[in-house]
Amino acid sequence: MDFEATLRSLLERTAGVRGCVLLDGDGILLASALAGPDVSGEDLGARCGLLLRELATVTPRLGGGPLRATILDAERGSIVLLPLRGNYGLALFLGREGNLGQALFEARKVGFALNAALA
């Protein structure tokens, strides 16, 4: 599977997504698709990798079961984090103008395909 092409298709299909990255369990960038120079794939991957690891650890401890998705909502945008098999993760940065529901739906579709490829 061409990870870069898969992420680019996610970026193109989903209005308002400014960047998406595939990262490993240490937050190291494996592939990215970015809509502009104001989004750094390496920075997004490293920071989101840390968040994803911590949330995947604490959620079961709080009785919530395995983490399926996390949405961080901020004043000027949102970050969607999806854990993938093998400690991989998918992170999307969505501008305020984007459709969060559509972004989550498309991210889950891509996550399903990535999980199959990462098996």
Side-chain angles (χ1 to χ4, degrees):
M1 168 180 266
D2 182 349
F3 295 134
E4 297 277 342
T6 300
L7 296 181
R8 275 193 308 277
S9 74
L10 173 60
L11 188 75
E12 293 164 0
R13 283 194 320 269
T14 312
V17 173
R18 296 176 48 203
C20 52
V21 296
L22 173 64
L23 46 115
D24 73 5
D26 293 321
I28 296 173
L29 184 70
L30 301 176
S32 67
L34 308 172
D38 60 330
V39 180
S40 163
E42 290 82 10
D43 189 39
L44 185 61
R47 294 173 191 277
C48 289
L50 174 64
L51 286 170
L52 195 53
R53 274 193 316 274
E54 292 300 319
L55 290 167
T57 300
V58 75
T59 304
R61 289 182 184 168
L62 295 175
L67 183 66
R68 294 188 345 200
T70 298
I71 300 169
L72 302 169
D73 194 32
E75 183 177 313
R76 288 182 272 164
S78 301
I79 296 174
V80 175
L81 302 171
L82 294 176
L84 302 174
R85 74 175 51 192
N87 291 323
Y88 292 95
L90 178 65
L92 284 76
F93 180 63
L94 183 69
R96 181 54 54 202
E97 72 283 359
N99 182 321
L100 185 57
Q102 179 193 16
L104 185 57
F105 176 76
E106 295 292 343
R108 284 190 167 144
K109 283 188 351 187
V110 166
F112 183 77
L114 289 170
N115 272 331
L118 293 167

XYZ file of all heavy atoms in Angstrom:
863
model
N 0.846 -1.184 0.000
C 0.000 0.000 0.000
C 0.885 1.239 0.000
O 1.864 1.310 0.738
C -0.906 -0.007 1.236
C -1.617 1.318 1.473
S -2.678 1.339 2.927
C -4.214 0.903 2.189
N 0.512 2.200 -0.796
C 1.213 3.483 -0.842
C 0.594 4.391 0.227
O -0.473 4.971 0.026
C 1.074 4.087 -2.237
C 1.803 5.409 -2.395
O 2.248 5.989 -1.382
O 1.911 5.869 -3.539
N 1.264 4.480 1.373
C 0.723 5.250 2.497
C 0.541 6.728 2.156
O -0.455 7.340 2.530
C 1.606 5.105 3.733
C 1.655 3.718 4.297
C 2.861 3.147 4.651
C 0.506 2.967 4.466
C 2.916 1.858 5.175
C 0.541 1.684 4.989
C 1.754 1.125 5.337
N 1.499 7.310 1.453
C 1.403 8.730 1.081
C 0.158 8.981 0.225
O -0.582 9.934 0.456
C 2.661 9.181 0.330
C 3.937 9.101 1.128
C 4.183 10.296 2.022
O 3.567 11.354 1.809
O 5.002 10.156 2.949
N -0.085 8.117 -0.756
C -1.247 8.272 -1.634
C -2.545 8.110 -0.848
O -3.524 8.834 -1.085
C -1.185 7.265 -2.780
N -2.559 7.173 0.089
C -3.750 6.962 0.918
C -4.058 8.203 1.742
O -5.208 8.642 1.834
C -3.538 5.742 1.843
O -3.301 4.600 1.028
C -4.744 5.501 2.724
N -3.034 8.806 2.329
C -3.242 10.016 3.126
C -3.624 11.202 2.247
O -4.463 12.019 2.632
C -1.993 10.336 3.950
C -1.623 9.302 5.014
C -0.387 9.757 5.778
C -2.773 9.032 5.962
N -3.031 11.301 1.055
C -3.406 12.391 0.143
C -4.875 12.283 -0.251
O -5.587 13.287 -0.330
C -2.534 12.367 -1.113
C -1.221 13.096 -0.963
C -0.529 13.334 -2.302
N -0.376 12.140 -3.111
C 0.610 11.248 -2.973
N 1.524 11.428 -2.057
N 0.663 10.192 -3.761
N -5.351 11.044 -0.472
C -6.761 10.879 -0.843
C -7.672 11.305 0.309
O -8.729 11.880 0.087
C -7.048 9.444 -1.277
O -7.077 8.568 -0.183
N -7.252 11.029 1.534
C -8.018 11.468 2.702
C -8.068 12.995 2.751
O -9.122 13.594 2.956
C -7.405 10.909 3.980
C -7.972 11.394 5.308
C -9.446 11.054 5.432
C -7.200 10.785 6.464
N -6.943 13.612 2.514
C -6.851 15.076 2.514
C -7.751 15.677 1.426
O -8.455 16.652 1.673
C -5.391 15.474 2.298
C -5.025 16.929 2.447
C -5.002 17.324 3.913
C -3.671 17.196 1.829
N -7.743 15.079 0.260
C -8.520 15.595 -0.868
C -10.021 15.372 -0.709
O -10.829 16.170 -1.178
C -8.028 14.963 -2.172
C -6.622 15.401 -2.529
C -5.958 14.525 -3.575
O -6.591 13.542 -4.052
O -4.794 14.808 -3.919
N -10.420 14.282 -0.058
C -11.844 13.946 0.099
C -12.518 14.685 1.236
O -13.744 14.724 1.298
C -12.007 12.444 0.381
C -11.875 11.535 -0.754
C -12.392 10.134 -0.419
N -12.069 9.643 0.897
C -10.989 8.925 1.211
N -10.107 8.633 0.301
N -10.797 8.489 2.433
N -11.743 15.239 2.140
C -12.309 15.766 3.376
C -12.057 17.264 3.478
O -10.919 17.691 3.691
C -11.714 15.030 4.593
O -11.773 13.629 4.348
C -12.477 15.348 5.848
N -13.103 18.037 3.347
C -12.980 19.490 3.393
C -12.439 19.956 4.740
O -12.871 19.486 5.788
C -14.343 20.134 3.138
N -11.481 20.852 4.690
C -10.967 21.469 5.901
C -9.817 20.740 6.566
O -9.236 21.244 7.518
N -9.448 19.546 6.091
C -8.303 18.849 6.677
C -7.040 19.521 6.167
O -6.806 19.622 4.976
C -8.305 17.343 6.333
C -7.023 16.675 6.814
C -9.495 16.660 6.969
N -6.237 20.001 7.093
C -5.009 20.720 6.730
C -3.788 19.817 6.733
O -2.766 20.154 6.176
C -4.808 21.887 7.694
C -5.931 22.906 7.551
C -5.867 24.027 8.527
N -4.545 24.618 8.604
C -4.108 25.290 9.649
N -4.881 25.451 10.695
N -2.908 25.812 9.669
N -3.915 18.660 7.369
C -2.801 17.725 7.366
C -3.208 16.418 8.000
O -4.088 16.376 8.854
N -2.581 15.340 7.555
C -2.777 14.037 8.193
C -1.458 13.283 8.133
O -0.688 13.444 7.186
C -3.917 13.256 7.572
S -3.877 13.071 5.795
N -1.216 12.530 9.184
C 0.044 11.807 9.287
C -0.204 10.385 9.778
O -1.125 10.131 10.552
C 1.050 12.509 10.234
C 1.452 13.863 9.696
C 0.512 12.645 11.636
N 0.653 9.479 9.319
C 0.724 8.124 9.820
C 2.008 8.047 10.618
O 3.061 8.460 10.135
C 0.755 7.122 8.657
C 0.989 5.654 9.027
C -0.162 5.115 9.877
C 1.174 4.823 7.756
N 1.903 7.570 11.857
C 3.075 7.547 12.710
C 3.216 6.208 13.391
O 2.254 5.461 13.534
C 3.000 8.665 13.749
C 1.671 8.829 14.487
C 1.841 8.544 15.943
C 1.165 10.230 14.268
N 4.444 5.912 13.800
C 4.666 4.666 14.523
C 4.465 4.897 16.016
O 4.113 6.004 16.439
C 6.035 4.068 14.199
C 7.209 4.803 14.821
O 7.015 5.761 15.608
O 8.358 4.411 14.522
N 4.680 3.869 16.815
C 4.432 3.943 18.248
C 5.288 4.953 18.989
O 4.951 5.363 20.097
N 6.390 5.387 18.378
C 7.258 6.392 18.992
C 6.979 7.792 18.463
O 7.701 8.733 18.786
C 8.732 6.042 18.748
C 9.129 4.771 19.474
O 8.672 4.576 20.617
O 9.885 3.969 18.894
N 5.960 7.930 17.619
C 5.621 9.233 17.052
C 6.467 9.607 15.854
O 6.457 10.746 15.408
N 7.198 8.641 15.305
C 8.030 8.913 14.136
C 7.156 8.873 12.892
O 6.371 7.938 12.681
C 9.183 7.901 14.035
C 10.102 8.088 15.249
C 9.952 8.060 12.732
C 11.176 7.061 15.384
N 7.289 9.899 12.085
C 6.480 10.058 10.884
C 6.816 8.991 9.851
O 7.968 8.812 9.487
C 6.743 11.454 10.303
C 5.930 11.863 9.102
C 4.478 12.098 9.514
C 6.500 13.133 8.497
N 5.792 8.269 9.399
C 5.958 7.269 8.347
C 5.459 7.781 7.003
O 5.991 7.428 5.961
C 5.216 5.985 8.713
C 5.646 5.311 10.014
C 4.764 4.119 10.312
C 7.107 4.911 9.949
N 4.409 8.599 7.031
C 3.842 9.168 5.814
C 3.013 10.384 6.213
O 2.513 10.462 7.332
C 2.966 8.149 5.092
N 2.880 11.326 5.275
C 2.082 12.516 5.578
C 1.482 13.086 4.306
O 1.957 12.839 3.209
C 2.934 13.586 6.274
O 3.915 14.090 5.388
N 0.436 13.859 4.504
C -0.172 14.661 3.452
C -0.528 15.986 4.111
O -1.256 16.008 5.104
C -1.408 13.989 2.879
N 0.022 17.069 3.585
C -0.155 18.373 4.210
C -0.742 19.356 3.209
O -0.356 19.372 2.042
C 1.186 18.887 4.735
C 1.951 17.906 5.637
C 3.337 18.425 5.933
C 1.175 17.653 6.911
N -1.686 20.185 3.677
C -2.368 21.122 2.790
C -1.646 22.457 2.681
O -1.997 23.279 1.851
C -3.799 21.354 3.269
N -0.658 22.696 3.495
C 0.045 23.972 3.418
C 1.321 23.959 4.223
O 1.565 23.041 5.013
N 2.136 24.975 4.038
C 3.431 25.020 4.726
C 3.326 25.310 6.221
O 4.299 25.137 6.943
C 4.164 26.157 4.005
C 3.073 27.037 3.491
C 1.926 26.111 3.158
N 2.155 25.712 6.698
C 2.002 26.036 8.119
C 1.805 24.802 8.989
O 1.710 24.904 10.201
C 0.852 27.016 8.330
C -0.484 26.479 7.847
O -0.491 25.684 6.894
O -1.510 26.861 8.425
N 1.761 23.611 8.370
C 1.608 22.365 9.119
C 2.870 21.535 8.915
O 3.244 21.229 7.789
C 0.372 21.565 8.640
C 0.224 20.282 9.430
C -0.894 22.407 8.751
N 3.530 21.177 10.003
C 4.732 20.344 9.943
C 4.349 18.906 10.261
O 3.859 18.622 11.355
C 5.768 20.847 10.957
O 6.746 19.854 11.186
N 4.575 18.005 9.311
C 4.246 16.604 9.525
C 5.041 15.991 10.659
O 4.506 15.236 11.467
N 6.328 16.326 10.755
C 7.168 15.773 11.814
C 6.702 16.249 13.182
O 6.625 15.469 14.127
C 8.640 16.148 11.602
C 9.295 15.467 10.430
C 9.015 16.151 9.094
O 8.462 17.280 9.089
O 9.303 15.542 8.060
N 6.381 17.519 13.278
C 5.921 18.081 14.547
C 4.567 17.491 14.940
O 4.364 17.067 16.078
C 5.823 19.602 14.437
C 5.568 20.266 15.772
O 6.150 19.828 16.786
O 4.779 21.234 15.808
N 3.656 17.424 13.982
C 2.334 16.851 14.246
C 2.454 15.392 14.673
O 1.838 14.969 15.659
C 1.457 16.977 12.994
C 0.011 16.545 13.099
C -0.737 17.354 14.134
C -0.673 16.684 11.740
N 3.286 14.629 13.996
C 3.471 13.222 14.328
C 4.056 13.021 15.714
O 3.569 12.209 16.500
N 5.108 13.760 16.035
C 5.773 13.592 17.330
C 4.841 13.951 18.486
O 4.738 13.214 19.473
C 7.035 14.445 17.387
N 4.176 15.056 18.375
C 3.304 15.501 19.463
C 2.057 14.629 19.587
O 1.630 14.287 20.688
C 2.943 16.963 19.275
C 4.155 17.863 19.413
C 3.851 19.305 19.057
N 5.053 20.077 18.941
C 5.701 20.614 19.973
N 5.267 20.439 21.193
N 6.794 21.319 19.775
N 1.480 14.256 18.451
C 0.285 13.414 18.488
C 0.624 11.996 18.916
O -0.190 11.328 19.555
C -0.410 13.426 17.134
S -1.205 15.009 16.793
N 1.811 11.532 18.581
C 2.232 10.205 19.020
C 2.259 10.101 20.530
O 1.798 9.114 21.113
N 2.774 11.134 21.178
C 2.816 11.163 22.641
C 1.401 11.163 23.217
O 1.088 10.386 24.122
C 3.584 12.390 23.125
C 3.596 12.638 24.622
C 4.327 11.509 25.339
C 4.254 13.966 24.931
N 0.535 11.996 22.691
C -0.853 12.049 23.164
C -1.552 10.707 22.972
O -2.246 10.224 23.864
C -1.628 13.137 22.412
C -1.325 14.570 22.773
C -1.983 15.506 21.771
C -1.799 14.873 24.174
N -1.373 10.132 21.808
C -2.034 8.869 21.497
C -1.580 7.759 22.440
O -2.406 6.999 22.958
C -1.754 8.497 20.044
C -2.609 7.434 19.401
C -4.087 7.729 19.549
C -2.253 7.318 17.936
N -0.290 7.677 22.696
C 0.229 6.657 23.623
C -0.362 6.826 25.014
O -0.786 5.862 25.647
C 1.756 6.741 23.717
C 2.476 5.971 22.681
C 3.955 5.825 22.998
N 4.615 7.037 23.473
C 5.141 7.976 22.692
N 5.083 7.856 21.387
N 5.730 9.024 23.214
N -0.368 8.049 25.509
C -0.871 8.302 26.862
C -2.371 8.016 26.962
O -2.834 7.409 27.926
C -0.566 9.739 27.293
C 0.908 10.008 27.492
C 1.534 9.127 28.568
O 0.892 8.915 29.619
O 2.661 8.645 28.344
N -3.130 8.454 25.969
C -4.575 8.229 25.992
C -4.918 6.748 25.854
O -5.848 6.263 26.502
C -5.257 9.037 24.889
C -5.257 10.550 25.116
C -5.667 11.273 23.840
C -6.151 10.923 26.273
N -4.158 6.030 25.041
C -4.401 4.593 24.887
C -4.093 3.842 26.178
O -4.670 2.792 26.444
C -3.563 4.042 23.738
N -3.217 4.382 27.000
C -2.886 3.766 28.288
C -3.937 4.087 29.346
O -4.369 3.217 30.092
C -1.500 4.254 28.778
O -0.525 3.876 27.811
C -1.142 3.645 30.115
N -4.353 5.338 29.417
C -5.247 5.761 30.499
C -6.699 5.354 30.271
O -7.414 5.081 31.236
C -5.125 7.284 30.753
C -5.817 8.095 29.668
C -5.668 7.649 32.114
N -7.158 5.294 29.025
C -8.564 4.992 28.761
C -8.998 3.648 29.346
O -10.022 3.585 30.045
C -8.853 5.070 27.251
O -8.476 6.360 26.789
C -10.314 4.854 26.958
N -8.255 2.561 29.123
C -8.656 1.291 29.753
C -8.590 1.343 31.276
O -9.421 0.732 31.953
C -7.654 0.275 29.199
C -7.120 0.889 27.956
C -7.140 2.363 28.191
N -7.626 2.059 31.815
C -7.498 2.161 33.272
C -8.694 2.862 33.901
O -9.032 2.613 35.050
C -6.221 2.910 33.651
C -4.976 2.116 33.393
C -3.764 2.878 33.837
N -2.555 2.149 33.508
C -1.357 2.656 33.572
N -1.174 3.903 33.955
N -0.311 1.924 33.249
N -9.328 3.728 33.132
C -10.511 4.445 33.630
C -11.800 3.678 33.363
O -12.884 4.166 33.644
C -10.588 5.832 32.993
C -9.458 6.791 33.351
C -9.591 8.080 32.553
C -9.458 7.082 34.844
N -11.667 2.482 32.800
C -12.840 1.651 32.549
C -13.484 1.878 31.203
O -14.565 1.355 30.937
N -12.845 2.647 30.335
C -13.431 2.955 29.032
C -13.129 1.951 27.948
O -13.633 2.067 26.840
N -12.294 0.967 28.252
C -11.909 0.000 27.230
C -10.866 0.564 26.296
O -10.351 1.664 26.509
N -10.554 -0.178 25.248
C -9.539 0.276 24.301
C -9.950 1.578 23.612
O -11.119 1.779 23.278
C -9.440 -0.858 23.290
C -10.033 -2.041 23.965
C -11.051 -1.514 24.928
N -8.988 2.431 23.382
C -9.219 3.708 22.715
C -9.579 3.477 21.256
O -8.909 2.727 20.560
C -7.950 4.567 22.818
C -8.024 5.966 22.230
C -9.017 6.818 23.014
C -6.646 6.608 22.261
N -10.642 4.118 20.789
C -11.048 4.011 19.384
C -10.751 5.285 18.620
O -10.380 5.242 17.458
C -12.523 3.671 19.286
C -12.813 2.301 19.836
C -14.197 1.804 19.612
N -15.157 2.814 19.198
C -16.454 2.688 19.311
N -16.953 1.595 19.832
N -17.272 3.628 18.911
N -10.931 6.426 19.248
C -10.647 7.713 18.601
C -10.623 8.786 19.677
O -11.272 8.656 20.712
C -11.698 8.053 17.555
N -9.863 9.818 19.402
C -9.824 10.978 20.291
C -9.976 12.222 19.441
O -9.362 12.334 18.379
C -8.473 11.054 21.046
O -8.344 9.897 21.851
C -8.405 12.276 21.925
N -10.784 13.154 19.910
C -10.961 14.429 19.224
C -10.552 15.534 20.189
O -11.106 15.634 21.290
C -12.417 14.636 18.776
C -12.829 13.520 17.823
C -12.591 16.008 18.137
C -14.310 13.466 17.535
N -9.581 16.319 19.782
C -9.155 17.476 20.563
C -9.667 18.710 19.834
O -9.293 18.965 18.689
C -7.630 17.516 20.674
C -7.000 16.276 21.290
C -5.499 16.297 21.110
C -7.367 16.181 22.750
N -10.523 19.466 20.483
C -11.148 20.621 19.860
C -10.541 21.887 20.424
O -10.514 22.081 21.647
C -12.661 20.574 20.116
C -13.429 21.536 19.248
O -12.987 21.788 18.105
O -14.457 22.047 19.709
N -10.039 22.735 19.552
C -9.418 23.994 19.958
C -10.113 25.153 19.244
O -10.985 24.943 18.396
C -7.932 23.976 19.622
N -9.721 26.342 19.586
C -10.358 27.538 19.039
C -10.285 27.613 17.517
O -11.237 27.990 16.847
C -9.695 28.784 19.635
C -10.330 30.079 19.198
C -9.688 31.272 19.872
O -9.495 31.235 21.097
O -9.382 32.242 19.162
N -9.150 27.229 16.938
C -8.971 27.369 15.494
C -8.898 26.046 14.739
O -8.527 26.025 13.574
C -7.728 28.202 15.205
C -7.962 29.667 15.539
C -6.772 30.497 15.225
N -5.917 30.464 16.415
C -4.663 30.819 16.446
N -4.068 31.226 15.371
N -3.985 30.767 17.570
N -9.250 24.955 15.398
C -9.235 23.685 14.693
C -9.326 22.507 15.638
O -9.405 22.672 16.852
N -9.316 21.336 15.067
C -9.421 20.104 15.837
C -8.355 19.126 15.378
O -7.899 19.174 14.240
C -10.791 19.463 15.639
O -11.822 20.332 16.037
N -7.998 18.226 16.278
C -7.104 17.128 15.949
C -7.863 15.839 16.225
O -8.462 15.684 17.289
C -5.808 17.173 16.776
C -5.026 18.433 16.440
C -4.963 15.932 16.515
C -3.799 18.638 17.301
N -7.859 14.953 15.250
C -8.475 13.644 15.392
C -7.341 12.628 15.456
O -6.465 12.609 14.585
C -9.402 13.325 14.194
C -9.946 11.916 14.294
C -10.534 14.339 14.108
N -7.343 11.802 16.492
C -6.323 10.777 16.681
C -6.977 9.404 16.648
O -7.947 9.171 17.374
C -5.623 10.948 18.025
C -4.928 12.274 18.286
C -4.478 12.350 19.736
C -3.761 12.441 17.353
N -6.450 8.522 15.818
C -6.952 7.154 15.733
C -5.803 6.188 15.981
O -4.812 6.220 15.260
C -7.520 6.855 14.347
C -8.764 7.592 13.907
C -9.096 7.211 12.477
C -9.916 7.264 14.811
N -5.928 5.344 16.989
C -4.919 4.306 17.155
C -5.115 3.234 16.085
O -6.241 2.920 15.707
C -5.194 3.762 18.550
C -6.631 4.050 18.798
C -6.965 5.287 18.017
N -4.016 2.708 15.600
C -4.046 1.627 14.623
C -3.328 0.424 15.215
O -2.663 0.544 16.245
C -3.366 2.062 13.321
C -3.951 3.301 12.637
C -3.092 3.702 11.444
C -5.388 3.072 12.208
N -3.452 -0.716 14.569
C -2.804 -1.918 15.095
C -1.287 -1.738 15.129
O -0.737 -0.909 14.419
C -3.194 -3.133 14.296
C -2.561 -3.245 12.944
C -2.894 -4.547 12.255
N -4.319 -4.730 12.279
C -4.958 -5.835 11.984
N -4.297 -6.878 11.617
N -6.255 -5.919 12.029
N -0.655 -2.510 15.993
C 0.797 -2.482 16.092
C 1.362 -1.181 16.634
O 2.477 -0.809 16.301
N 0.590 -0.462 17.428
C 1.010 0.819 18.007
C 1.223 1.922 16.978
O 1.899 2.908 17.255
C 2.261 0.663 18.884
C 1.961 -0.111 20.135
O 0.889 0.019 20.713
N 2.894 -0.940 20.554
N 0.666 1.777 15.798
C 0.692 2.849 14.811
C -0.470 3.793 15.106
O -1.384 3.456 15.863
C 0.568 2.286 13.395
C 1.770 1.485 12.962
C 1.785 0.104 13.104
C 2.889 2.112 12.427
C 2.889 -0.640 12.709
C 3.992 1.383 12.044
C 3.984 0.008 12.189
O 5.073 -0.724 11.804
N -0.441 4.959 14.503
C -1.521 5.907 14.715
C -1.735 6.790 13.504
O -0.835 6.975 12.676
N -2.918 7.328 13.412
C -3.290 8.269 12.359
C -3.745 9.541 13.044
O -4.547 9.497 13.982
C -4.433 7.685 11.515
C -4.996 8.547 10.398
C -3.944 8.782 9.315
C -6.230 7.889 9.790
N -3.218 10.677 12.597
C -3.606 11.972 13.166
C -4.003 12.906 12.034
O -3.329 12.970 11.008
C -2.452 12.568 13.963
N -5.104 13.622 12.236
C -5.578 14.613 11.275
C -5.670 15.961 11.972
O -6.135 16.033 13.113
C -6.991 14.287 10.788
C -7.215 13.205 9.788
C -7.100 11.865 10.427
C -8.555 13.385 9.159
N -5.274 17.001 11.279
C -5.466 18.355 11.789
C -6.506 19.018 10.906
O -6.337 19.141 9.701
C -4.165 19.147 11.789
C -4.343 20.536 12.309
C -4.739 20.747 13.615
C -4.150 21.619 11.493
C -4.941 22.033 14.097
C -4.332 22.904 11.961
C -4.723 23.113 13.265
N -7.594 19.420 11.522
C -8.751 19.961 10.817
C -8.914 21.427 11.175
O -8.969 21.777 12.360
C -9.995 19.170 11.242
C -11.316 19.473 10.607
C -11.302 19.030 9.147
C -12.424 18.747 11.347
N -8.969 22.294 10.165
C -9.224 23.710 10.401
C -10.652 23.930 10.870
O -11.522 23.066 10.736
N -10.914 25.084 11.440
C -12.229 25.414 11.981
C -13.320 25.285 10.923
O -14.461 24.949 11.212
C -12.194 26.821 12.579
C -13.465 27.314 13.196
C -14.106 26.459 14.251
N -13.221 26.114 15.344
C -13.401 25.066 16.152
N -14.419 24.274 15.992
N -12.572 24.800 17.109
N -12.988 25.539 9.657
C -13.981 25.484 8.581
C -14.352 24.060 8.181
O -15.287 23.847 7.425
C -13.451 26.226 7.339
C -12.338 25.516 6.594
C -10.952 25.590 7.239
O -10.785 26.221 8.296
O -10.032 24.998 6.664
N -13.630 23.095 8.684
C -13.849 21.706 8.299
C -15.059 21.079 8.965
O -15.608 21.597 9.933
N -15.450 19.958 8.433
C -16.581 19.199 8.954
C -16.030 18.048 9.795
O -15.518 17.069 9.252
C -17.426 18.675 7.790
C -18.640 17.910 8.237
O -18.603 17.147 9.200
N -19.738 18.109 7.527
N -16.130 18.162 11.102
C -15.551 17.185 12.016
C -16.162 15.796 11.834
O -15.453 14.786 11.842
C -15.698 17.658 13.459
C -15.045 16.813 14.532
C -13.562 16.642 14.286
C -15.288 17.438 15.900
N -17.455 15.711 11.642
C -18.107 14.423 11.440
C -17.600 13.725 10.191
O -17.310 12.522 10.208
N -17.495 14.464 9.108
C -16.981 13.891 7.863
C -15.524 13.469 8.040
O -15.127 12.401 7.575
C -17.090 14.897 6.717
C -16.540 14.345 5.414
C -16.346 15.396 4.342
O -16.334 16.591 4.622
N -16.180 14.953 3.117
N -14.736 14.288 8.720
C -13.327 13.963 8.935
C -13.177 12.675 9.741
O -12.354 11.812 9.412
C -12.620 15.117 9.640
N -13.975 12.518 10.771
C -13.907 11.307 11.590
C -14.337 10.079 10.779
O -13.705 9.023 10.842
C -14.770 11.464 12.838
C -14.721 10.329 13.847
C -13.304 10.069 14.333
C -15.628 10.640 15.031
N -15.401 10.221 9.998
C -15.871 9.129 9.154
C -14.798 8.694 8.153
O -14.486 7.513 8.017
C -17.151 9.552 8.422
C -17.671 8.529 7.454
C -18.342 7.403 7.908
C -17.497 8.694 6.095
C -18.817 6.450 7.018
C -17.971 7.752 5.199
C -18.629 6.628 5.663
N -14.215 9.665 7.447
C -13.185 9.363 6.449
C -11.925 8.811 7.104
O -11.280 7.909 6.567
C -12.862 10.609 5.616
C -14.002 11.101 4.753
C -14.361 10.153 3.613
O -13.556 9.271 3.260
O -15.462 10.305 3.059
N -11.564 9.339 8.262
C -10.383 8.845 8.973
C -10.576 7.393 9.383
O -9.638 6.587 9.290
C -10.098 9.710 10.194
N -11.763 7.043 9.814
C -12.017 5.647 10.193
C -11.950 4.717 8.995
O -11.449 3.593 9.098
C -13.361 5.533 10.905
C -13.279 6.048 12.329
C -14.525 5.720 13.110
N -14.267 5.958 14.523
C -15.158 6.432 15.367
N -16.380 6.717 14.953
N -14.853 6.624 16.636
N -12.443 5.175 7.834
C -12.330 4.361 6.619
C -10.863 4.141 6.263
O -10.456 3.018 5.960
C -13.050 5.043 5.451
C -14.544 4.910 5.502
C -15.311 5.407 4.288
C -14.615 6.166 3.238
N -15.502 6.724 2.202
N -10.084 5.199 6.300
C -8.658 5.078 5.995
C -7.960 4.236 7.058
O -7.098 3.421 6.740
C -8.006 6.481 5.854
C -6.497 6.400 5.884
C -8.492 7.142 4.597
N -8.334 4.411 8.304
C -7.764 3.608 9.384
C -8.007 2.128 9.182
O -7.123 1.296 9.426
N -9.183 1.783 8.714
C -9.502 0.374 8.435
C -8.567 -0.168 7.350
O -8.014 -1.264 7.484
C -10.972 0.250 8.010
C -11.409 -1.154 7.768
C -11.684 -2.009 8.830
C -11.542 -1.640 6.471
C -12.081 -3.320 8.603
C -11.941 -2.942 6.231
C -12.214 -3.784 7.314
N -8.373 0.584 6.279
C -7.488 0.162 5.190
C -6.034 0.082 5.664
O -5.312 -0.860 5.315
C -7.612 1.124 4.011
N -5.607 1.048 6.472
C -4.236 1.027 7.001
C -4.027 -0.166 7.915
O -2.969 -0.802 7.872
C -3.924 2.332 7.733
C -3.772 3.572 6.855
C -3.715 4.826 7.719
C -2.549 3.467 5.958
N -5.017 -0.474 8.742
C -4.898 -1.638 9.628
C -4.690 -2.919 8.818
O -3.893 -3.777 9.207
C -6.129 -1.783 10.526
C -6.005 -0.993 11.802
O -4.905 -0.768 12.300
N -7.125 -0.585 12.341
N -5.406 -3.044 7.724
C -5.250 -4.229 6.883
C -3.842 -4.280 6.290
O -3.226 -5.346 6.223
C -6.299 -4.223 5.772
N -3.322 -3.135 5.878
C -1.988 -3.085 5.280
C -0.883 -3.289 6.322
O 0.181 -3.810 6.003
C -1.785 -1.755 4.573
N -1.140 -2.901 7.568
C -0.140 -3.007 8.616
C -0.138 -4.377 9.281
O 0.696 -4.646 10.146
C -0.370 -1.922 9.674
C -0.150 -0.489 9.219
C -0.710 0.496 10.242
C 1.311 -0.223 8.923
N -1.084 -5.235 8.910
C -1.186 -6.569 9.527
C 0.014 -7.440 9.248
O 0.676 -7.356 8.288
C -2.454 -7.263 9.049
